Amino acid sequence: LTLLLGLPLALASPTCAPLIPVTFDNATVPGLLGHWVYIAGASRYPPHLEELKALKHAAFSFSPGSHEDELNVTETMRLNETCVVRNTSKVLVFRHNSTLVHVDDQVFATANLIQSDKDLLILRHLNDDIPSLSLSARTPNVSKEQLEEFRSHLHCLGFTEEDIYFTS
Protein backbone atom coordinates (compact mmCIF):
# COMPACT_ATOMS: atom_id res chain seq x y z
CA LEU A 1 0.00 0.00 0.00
CA THR A 2 2.81 2.45 0.87
CA LEU A 3 4.49 1.65 -2.43
CA LEU A 4 1.31 2.39 -4.39
CA LEU A 5 0.65 5.65 -2.52
CA GLY A 6 4.22 6.85 -3.06
CA LEU A 7 4.31 5.95 -6.75
CA PRO A 8 2.53 9.09 -8.04
CA LEU A 9 4.96 11.28 -6.07
CA ALA A 10 7.94 9.41 -7.46
CA LEU A 11 6.62 9.78 -11.01
CA ALA A 12 5.83 13.48 -10.57
CA SER A 13 9.20 14.58 -9.20
CA PRO A 14 11.98 15.23 -11.71
CA THR A 15 15.03 13.03 -11.57
CA CYS A 16 18.17 14.75 -10.43
CA ALA A 17 21.34 13.59 -12.05
CA PRO A 18 24.38 14.07 -9.84
CA LEU A 19 26.60 17.04 -10.59
CA ILE A 20 29.61 15.27 -12.06
CA PRO A 21 32.87 17.20 -11.84
CA VAL A 22 35.14 17.14 -14.86
CA THR A 23 38.13 14.86 -14.35
CA PHE A 24 41.09 17.05 -15.23
CA ASP A 25 43.45 15.81 -17.91
CA ASN A 26 45.97 17.44 -20.25
CA ALA A 27 43.18 18.97 -22.38
CA THR A 28 41.24 20.50 -19.47
CA VAL A 29 43.41 23.53 -18.74
CA PRO A 30 43.94 24.56 -22.39
CA GLY A 31 40.16 24.21 -22.87
CA LEU A 32 39.57 26.83 -20.16
CA LEU A 33 41.79 29.46 -21.78
CA GLY A 34 40.19 32.46 -23.43
CA HIS A 35 37.18 34.73 -23.00
CA TRP A 36 34.09 33.88 -20.89
CA VAL A 37 30.90 35.82 -20.15
CA TYR A 38 29.20 35.36 -16.79
CA ILE A 39 25.51 34.60 -17.39
CA ALA A 40 23.88 33.66 -14.08
CA GLY A 41 24.37 32.29 -10.61
CA ALA A 42 22.60 31.20 -7.47
CA SER A 43 23.98 30.85 -3.97
CA ARG A 44 23.03 30.46 -0.35
CA TYR A 45 26.53 31.59 0.75
CA PRO A 46 26.02 35.15 2.11
CA PRO A 47 29.15 36.80 0.60
CA HIS A 48 28.35 35.33 -2.86
CA LEU A 49 24.69 36.26 -2.57
CA GLU A 50 25.53 39.92 -1.93
CA GLU A 51 27.83 40.03 -4.94
CA LEU A 52 25.24 38.29 -7.14
CA LYS A 53 22.66 40.94 -6.26
CA ALA A 54 25.06 43.75 -7.20
CA LEU A 55 26.52 42.13 -10.35
CA LYS A 56 25.06 43.61 -13.53
CA HIS A 57 27.61 42.35 -16.08
CA ALA A 58 30.83 40.35 -15.97
CA ALA A 59 33.32 38.95 -18.42
CA PHE A 60 36.64 37.32 -17.71
CA SER A 61 39.55 35.72 -19.50
CA PHE A 62 41.91 32.97 -18.54
CA SER A 63 45.48 33.06 -19.86
CA PRO A 64 48.44 30.82 -19.06
CA GLY A 65 50.12 31.58 -15.75
CA SER A 66 53.74 31.21 -14.79
CA HIS A 67 53.23 27.53 -13.85
CA GLU A 68 51.55 24.67 -15.69
CA ASP A 69 48.55 24.53 -13.34
CA GLU A 70 48.09 28.26 -12.88
CA LEU A 71 45.87 30.60 -14.89
CA ASN A 72 45.95 34.38 -14.88
CA VAL A 73 42.50 35.96 -14.65
CA THR A 74 41.40 39.29 -16.09
CA GLU A 75 37.93 40.34 -14.94
CA THR A 76 35.75 43.18 -16.15
CA MET A 77 32.49 43.69 -14.31
CA ARG A 78 29.85 46.20 -13.39
CA LEU A 79 28.75 46.08 -9.75
CA ASN A 80 25.64 48.26 -9.50
CA GLU A 81 26.88 51.43 -11.24
CA THR A 82 30.61 50.89 -10.71
CA CYS A 83 32.86 49.38 -13.40
CA VAL A 84 35.68 47.24 -12.06
CA VAL A 85 38.65 45.80 -13.94
CA ARG A 86 40.94 43.36 -12.13
CA ASN A 87 43.92 41.52 -13.48
CA THR A 88 45.63 40.53 -10.26
CA SER A 89 43.94 37.22 -9.50
CA LYS A 90 44.88 33.66 -10.41
CA VAL A 91 43.17 30.31 -10.69
CA LEU A 92 45.11 27.33 -9.40
CA VAL A 93 44.26 23.97 -10.98
CA PHE A 94 44.43 20.94 -8.70
CA ARG A 95 44.38 17.88 -10.95
CA HIS A 96 44.40 15.30 -8.14
CA ASN A 97 40.93 16.30 -6.92
CA SER A 98 39.69 18.22 -10.00
CA THR A 99 39.21 21.54 -8.25
CA LEU A 100 39.85 25.12 -9.25
CA VAL A 101 40.90 27.66 -6.62
CA HIS A 102 40.45 31.36 -7.40
CA VAL A 103 43.01 33.40 -5.48
CA ASP A 104 42.32 37.13 -5.23
CA ASP A 105 44.51 38.92 -2.69
CA GLN A 106 44.26 36.63 0.31
CA VAL A 107 40.74 35.36 -0.54
CA PHE A 108 40.39 31.80 -1.80
CA ALA A 109 37.29 30.40 -3.52
CA THR A 110 37.16 26.73 -4.50
CA ALA A 111 34.98 25.21 -7.22
CA ASN A 112 34.39 22.10 -9.30
CA LEU A 113 33.92 22.37 -13.04
CA ILE A 114 30.75 20.43 -13.87
CA GLN A 115 30.60 18.25 -16.99
CA SER A 116 28.75 20.06 -19.74
CA ASP A 117 29.08 21.57 -23.19
CA LYS A 118 32.68 22.71 -23.91
CA ASP A 119 31.41 26.26 -24.47
CA LEU A 120 29.82 26.39 -20.99
CA LEU A 121 31.54 26.87 -17.68
CA ILE A 122 29.26 25.53 -14.95
CA LEU A 123 30.99 25.87 -11.61
CA ARG A 124 29.84 24.36 -8.34
CA HIS A 125 31.34 26.61 -5.68
CA LEU A 126 32.45 24.75 -2.58
CA ASN A 127 31.73 26.77 0.56
CA ASP A 128 31.14 24.68 3.68
CA ASP A 129 28.54 22.55 1.86
CA ILE A 130 26.43 25.65 1.12
CA PRO A 131 25.08 25.29 -2.43
CA SER A 132 26.31 27.74 -5.07
CA LEU A 133 26.34 27.33 -8.82
CA SER A 134 27.32 29.68 -11.63
CA LEU A 135 27.01 29.65 -15.40
CA SER A 136 29.40 31.31 -17.83
CA ALA A 137 29.68 30.85 -21.58
CA ARG A 138 31.94 31.70 -24.48
CA THR A 139 29.32 34.13 -25.79
CA PRO A 140 26.80 36.43 -24.06
CA ASN A 141 23.93 34.23 -25.27
CA VAL A 142 23.22 30.62 -24.41
CA SER A 143 20.73 28.29 -26.03
CA LYS A 144 17.43 27.41 -24.42
CA GLU A 145 18.74 23.86 -23.89
CA GLN A 146 21.92 25.09 -22.19
CA LEU A 147 19.91 27.34 -19.89
CA GLU A 148 17.53 24.50 -19.08
CA GLU A 149 20.49 22.27 -18.17
CA PHE A 150 21.69 24.93 -15.72
CA ARG A 151 18.18 25.45 -14.29
CA SER A 152 17.83 21.69 -13.82
CA HIS A 153 21.06 21.57 -11.83
CA LEU A 154 19.85 24.49 -9.70
CA HIS A 155 16.49 22.85 -9.09
CA CYS A 156 18.24 19.68 -7.91
CA LEU A 157 20.23 21.78 -5.43
CA GLY A 158 16.98 23.21 -4.05
CA PHE A 159 16.98 26.60 -5.80
CA THR A 160 13.88 28.23 -7.27
CA GLU A 161 13.60 30.72 -10.16
CA GLU A 162 13.62 33.55 -7.59
CA ASP A 163 17.07 32.40 -6.39
CA ILE A 164 18.71 32.86 -9.82
CA TYR A 165 20.51 36.11 -10.57
CA PHE A 166 21.08 36.86 -14.26
CA THR A 167 23.40 39.53 -15.63
CA SER A 168 22.08 41.90 -18.27
Side-chain angles (χ1 to χ4, degrees), residues 19 46-48 52 87 90 101 104-105 126 135 151 164 167:
L19 292 174
H48 283 179
L52 285 174
N87 62 0
K90 304 219 176 277
V101 177
D104 188 12
D105 287 329
L126 307 171
L135 171 67
R151 282 188 162 119
I164 306 172
T167 57

Side-chain angles (χ1 to χ4, degrees), residues 82-136:
T82 304
C83 290
V84 178
V85 176
R86 292 192 293 211
N87 62 0
T88 58
S89 66
K90 304 219 176 277
V91 167
L92 306 176
V93 179
F94 291 92
R95 294 173 191 254
H96 70 281
N97 64 0
S98 294
T99 57
L100 301 170
V101 177
H102 185 213
V103 182
D104 188 12
D105 287 329
Q106 296 301 313
V107 178
F108 296 81
T110 306
N112 289 126
L113 175 61
I114 301 304
Q115 284 184 352
S116 184
D117 182 302
K118 67 178 177 53
D119 293 326
L120 293 183
L121 192 67
I122 298 177
L123 294 175
R124 182 175 190 176
H125 304 273
L126 307 171
N127 301 299
D128 302 322
D129 292 328
I130 299 171
S132 295
L133 204 65
S134 66
L135 171 67
S136 299

